[in-house]
Amino acid sequence: MKKDLNEQLDTVVKLYQDGGITRRDFVKYLGIAGAAAGLVGGPFGLLTRSARAAKSIRFDSWGGTTSEALRKYAFEPFTKATGIEVVDAAFTGMDAYLTQVKASYPPGGEFNLAHLSAVFDYARYIGLGFGVVLDESKIPNLKNVMKPMKDALRQLSDGNLSAVPYDLGQTGIAYNTKHISKDKAEKLGASLLWDKALKDKLGSWGADYRTNMWYAALHTGQSPNNITDLDAVWDALAEQRDLMKKYWESGSELMSLLANEEIYATVAWSGRVAALQQQGHSIGYLAPEGTYSWMEYIFVLKGTDLEVAQKLLNFMLEPDAAIAVAKGQNYPPSLDPTKVKMPPEVQKLPAFDPTGQLKGYLFAKPDYWNSHQVEWTEKWDRIRAGA
Amino acid sequence: MESKPWKPAALLAPAVSAVIFLLVIPVCFIVVYSFWLRAPSGADIPAFQFGNYAKFFEDFFYPSLLIRTIRVSLETVLLCLVMGYIPAYFFYRTESRIKPFLLILVMLPFWISFIIRTLSWINILGDTGLINHVLMKIGLLDNPLSMLYNEGAVLMGLIQYLLPFMILNIYVSLEGIDKNLLEAARSLGCTEWQAFREVTLPLSLPGVSAGCLLVFVLTSGTYLPPMILGGPGNDMIANLIFKRVVGTLDWPFGSAISTILLLLLGVIVYTYNRYLGINQIFKSLQ
């Protein structure tokens, strides 16, 4: 029935464009169609979305330089080549975006593609039933993507893909080189974040229990993906809290705290550190053994026009576009450097792996972390609050 | 002219509909959600159980955040009252021609985004902010004073947000006092201070209480100043709600906390209305 209504609307629009009906009649038909849509029911915007679906696709990303790079090197050429508009939107954070997706109607149906981060979130989207099965034959550039990255996603969605890996990053340690020497940072490793000499000059990502537990595990000599002495981790985090100046909530806040020297050391996203270094700030980057690595991917949400989505994904994985985006956001692309030649700027980025094998990169195990999410988040909130 | 009994209802219909659709129904949804369960994936499971409420009260961590919220709200009310009464009294007594201009200054912060106003304190109170920069430049300090990311900074952020509400409430109340009463008190032998204490202050109390209620309610539900200006341990109950709803997708538990906060504020507003009358707030908002 929806299709019939769309076809009828298309016919009316075409007649109007061809001069077949007068403006008055056109408005009248639209009014009748609107009233019909109202009577038929359906949430606000459903009809509009379906009417626009074929000519546009929504893409949610991180905003800022990432979105600028995507717009310039992927979306605009794509629109030029296909006539399909990419509606570019920015989300405030992964959790906030998932909340929006969950609240949309039908759940997930309001959104199309999203530039998401971390494999455990891929598992959450799949678990909530927001995934699709991509036809990989329609995305030929997928062959250039590093195999370990594709495999990490496949194993969570029955061997299929609901997303294409897009870039690679790390949450390492950023430190102010004016106040902390490279030798000291490398000697202390993860324990730099527990250095009492840095009391009231330390920061951490307050919203993420995983990052904090990850580094507490490294500090206490444990494997982050298999913490055997949980009490030691909580004790370490409670001890660290007394040294903290600020638990930051966003990438821009992280950069502001480091740039203004409010804090001298913190866990930090590798791309943000690279951006600060490019701006001339005295910030060093430390990736101790067991550094928290993660990948970003373009997730396709249930209800999306797969033909259009796959076309766009293939466009985005074109080496020129992927490398340009990588330079824009300071994260190496998912393309295998043994198959696609990378420029020197990309090779210098933190987390770049020239082998394409990602050996030695430690990613968070989705089942391990997701199964404890509520319990550990609540415990982390408690520690953070000093309870 | 013959009155039409349907007319008031028709005139009220848009506003009442807006309140029902945009406030009452969403709040009802929140209450319903508070009885649901959360699946490990983050999906919601319809149910009718009180586990989320039990979880809140069984663990002192959650009530302690509520207590902190009430304490910070009371501190904000007290500080706003002290800082707000003086300018309100000045506006009441002054005959200056620039009085309207001064009143506009009070409302000026409303023209600037609350987030921008809150963020601007970072540049003032930060280690490399204006105050520390000046103090170190003139040699009064060797190391910066730590003024940011603590409860003091949160209170500062709350005061800059809420002070205008207090000033305007008190001012409206003061404006309603007949100045002849003060003259009468003075002619009967009162000093200026006695006249204030015996006449002005008691008569301005409805405005004071309205301002206090408004500031208290708004503080209890705010989460931006603690998030932006607070340090470890400065979170309030609204921050917890945000984390539960957005961070862990635990809508049922987040809804239960919201409902508890709603009930607490409802009791406070009801008590206020019972003894002082809610209409005092509307006067100042007109």
Side-chain angles (χ1 to χ4, degrees):
Chain A
M1 169 143 186
K2 197 168 77 182
K3 198 169 181 184
D4 291 344
L5 190 58
N6 282 348
E7 279 171 5
Q8 285 166 23
L9 281 169
D10 286 345
T11 311
V12 174
V13 172
K14 181 132 196 4
L15 273 170
Y16 173 63
Q17 285 170 340
D18 295 345
I21 55 171
T22 64
R23 187 187 303 175
R24 181 173 291 188
D25 284 341
F26 176 66
V27 172
K28 186 176 79 187
Y29 291 138
L30 272 188
I32 292 167
L39 286 171
V40 167
F44 301 119
L46 199 62
L47 198 63
T48 320
R49 283 202 298 276
S50 67
R52 289 186 64 186
K55 288 183 180 170
S56 68
I57 192 160
R58 176 173 172 154
F59 191 99
D60 288 82
S61 185
W62 297 90
T65 50
T66 306
S67 289
E68 275 171 35
L70 286 169
R71 260 195 305 274
K72 190 171 173 189
Y73 297 104
F75 302 159
E76 284 170 14
F78 175 76
T79 304
K80 208 171 168 186
T82 63
I84 299 167
E85 185 197 355
V86 181
V87 180
D88 180 19
F91 45 65
T92 51
M94 294 296 306
D95 291 326
Y97 180 69
L98 182 50
T99 307
Q100 279 183 299
V101 170
K102 191 182 158 191
S104 64
Y105 185 88
E110 199 175 314
F111 301 88
N112 299 136
L113 277 78
H115 188 187
L116 304 181
S117 177
V119 178
F120 51 78
D121 259 336
Y122 182 87
R124 287 168 85 189
Y125 278 80
I126 295 291
L128 285 163
F130 297 148
V132 298
V133 175
L134 291 174
D135 181 351
E136 295 179 35
S137 67
K138 300 273 177 65
I139 315 169
N141 285 324
L142 197 58
K143 68 177 186 301
N144 291 329
V145 172
M146 285 185 258
K147 189 172 177 297
M149 293 179 84
K150 288 186 280 191
D151 290 346
L153 301 184
R154 275 190 214 288
Q155 64 180 349
L156 299 168
S157 42
D158 300 326
N160 299 307
L161 287 176
S162 182
V164 298
Y166 204 61
D167 52 78
L168 188 64
Q170 284 181 334
T171 304
I173 298 172
Y175 62 96
N176 188 312
T177 53
K178 284 194 277 183
H179 299 276
I180 300 166
S181 70
K182 192 179 176 196
D183 287 346
K184 181 182 176 180
E186 284 176 353
K187 188 180 161 201
L188 288 176
S191 298
L192 180 67
L193 299 169
W194 276 264
D195 184 5
K196 289 188 172 59
L198 296 174
K199 184 172 164 54
D200 292 333
K201 281 293 173 188
L202 287 168
S204 189
W205 185 13
D208 191 49
Y209 74 100
R210 290 179 209 90
T211 304
N212 290 282
M213 287 183 72
W214 189 281
Y215 276 93
L218 292 180
H219 173 63
T220 55
Q222 303 185 68
S223 162
N225 278 325
N226 183 26
I227 299 170
T228 49
D229 187 353
L230 206 53
D231 287 341
V233 166
W234 299 132
D235 289 345
L237 289 172
E239 180 197 334
Q240 189 193 42
R241 180 193 171 277
D242 295 334
L243 307 174
M244 282 287 153
K245 177 152 198 184
K246 178 71 179 167
Y247 288 111
W248 46 268
E249 301 289 341
S250 67
S252 49
E253 192 180 11
L254 156 71
M255 290 176 75
S256 160
L257 287 166
L258 284 168
N260 292 323
E261 300 190 5
E262 291 288 343
I263 55 174
Y264 295 158
T266 175
V267 293
W269 303 322
S270 53
R272 298 284 179 161
V273 178
L276 282 168
Q277 289 170 337
Q278 286 160 15
Q279 288 166 19
H281 294 287
S282 309
I283 302 295
Y285 180 71
L286 177 69
E289 196 180 334
T291 291
Y292 186 178
S293 302
W294 37 264
M295 67 162 96
E296 292 188 326
Y297 45 87
I298 312 297
F299 193 93
V300 182
L301 285 144
K302 191 174 163 182
T304 300
D305 184 331
L306 287 183
E307 286 294 320
V308 178
Q310 286 158 178
K311 215 180 274 184
L312 176 59
L313 290 174
N314 197 49
F315 226 88
M316 293 180 72
L317 286 172
E318 281 290 340
D320 285 350
I323 289 169
V325 174
K327 285 194 227 167
Q329 61 170 0
N330 292 311
Y331 291 114
S334 62
L335 302 180
D336 189 338
T338 61
K339 294 178 182 169
V340 177
K341 191 171 166 14
M342 293 292 161
E345 307 98 285
V346 171
Q347 291 182 33
K348 279 185 206 157
L349 289 174
F352 175 75
D353 177 26
T355 69
Q357 297 299 310
L358 301 180
K359 281 183 183 152
Y361 283 63
L362 197 55
F363 296 91
K365 277 189 185 166
D367 49 348
Y368 178 71
W369 289 94
N370 285 356
S371 62
H372 296 102
Q373 194 209 4
V374 172
E375 178 198 344
W376 287 354
T377 304
E378 288 179 3
K379 180 71 180 171
W380 163 240
D381 282 347
R382 221 169 281 256
I383 287 172
R384 208 186 126 169
Chain B
M1 196 174 166
E2 194 181 335
S3 66
K4 292 177 181 170
W6 54 267
K7 212 171 176 182
L11 290 171
L12 277 173
V16 172
S17 306
V19 169
I20 289 171
F21 283 105
L22 302 177
L23 185 69
V24 178
I25 292 177
V27 167
C28 290
F29 270 100
I30 294 281
V31 175
V32 170
Y33 256 114
S34 71
F35 299 112
W36 287 22
L37 292 163
R38 178 198 187 274
S41 65
D44 306 311
I45 304 168
F48 184 72
Q49 48 85 43
F50 292 87
N52 295 314
Y53 291 95
K55 184 176 170 180
F56 184 90
F57 289 108
E58 278 169 1
D59 185 341
F60 185 67
F61 170 66
Y62 299 114
S64 73
L65 273 181
L66 192 60
I67 292 166
R68 181 190 293 156
T69 303
I70 294 169
R71 179 176 57 75
V72 172
S73 301
L74 288 173
E75 285 170 4
T76 309
V77 165
L78 194 66
L79 289 165
C80 282
L81 179 59
V82 173
M83 294 169 74
Y85 202 101
I86 297 163
Y89 186 72
F90 171 77
F91 294 142
Y92 165 58
R93 295 301 301 269
T94 186
E95 301 292 332
S96 169
R97 280 185 304 167
I98 60 164
K99 183 173 156 180
F101 172 73
L102 294 173
L103 277 168
I104 287 174
L105 280 184
V106 174
M107 286 182 276
L108 198 64
F110 292 130
W111 300 354
I112 305 163
S113 155
F114 174 40
I115 295 176
I116 301 288
R117 279 186 282 146
T118 308
L119 283 171
S120 65
W121 283 103
I122 293 173
N123 297 320
I124 298 169
L125 301 176
D127 282 3
T128 52
L130 181 71
I131 296 174
N132 274 317
H133 180 77
V134 171
L135 291 177
M136 288 201 290
K137 202 85 180 164
I138 59 176
L140 280 176
L141 287 178
D142 291 329
N143 292 306
L145 278 175
S146 192
M147 292 180 282
L148 204 54
Y149 309 125
N150 50 40
E151 193 168 302
V154 174
L155 283 170
M156 185 89 80
L158 288 166
I159 290 167
Q160 61 90 19
Y161 163 43
L162 297 162
L163 191 58
F165 291 101
M166 184 66 89
I167 294 175
L168 293 175
N169 269 286
I170 299 173
Y171 171 66
V172 167
S173 189
L174 287 168
E175 269 295 295
I177 301 172
D178 187 346
K179 284 181 180 150
N180 289 327
L181 291 173
L182 294 177
E183 297 303 322
R186 293 295 307 277
S187 66
L188 289 170
C190 278
T191 62
E192 188 80 27
W193 169 243
Q194 279 175 320
F196 171 77
R197 210 180 55 207
E198 303 290 336
V199 179
T200 313
L201 186 62
L203 290 173
S204 67
L205 283 182
V208 169
S209 55
C212 290
L213 178 73
L214 209 56
V215 170
F216 184 88
V217 170
L218 290 172
T219 307
S220 306
T222 190
Y223 77 98
L224 267 176
M227 192 170 96
I228 296 174
L229 303 174
N234 295 134
D235 276 1
M236 288 164 57
I237 199 79
N239 299 88
L240 180 68
I241 295 170
F242 179 80
K243 280 182 207 159
R244 285 294 161 272
V245 172
V246 175
T248 52
L249 283 188
D250 195 349
W251 292 7
F253 188 45
S255 300
I257 307 171
S258 305
T259 307
I260 291 165
L261 179 64
L262 191 73
L263 286 172
L264 176 76
L265 295 178
V267 168
I268 291 169
V269 172
Y270 173 79
T271 311
Y272 174 88
N273 191 37
R274 180 85 175 75
Y275 295 103
L276 294 160
I278 204 91
N279 59 337
Q280 188 61 38
I281 293 178
F282 300 129
K283 277 189 201 168
S284 62
L285 295 175
Q286 279 165 4

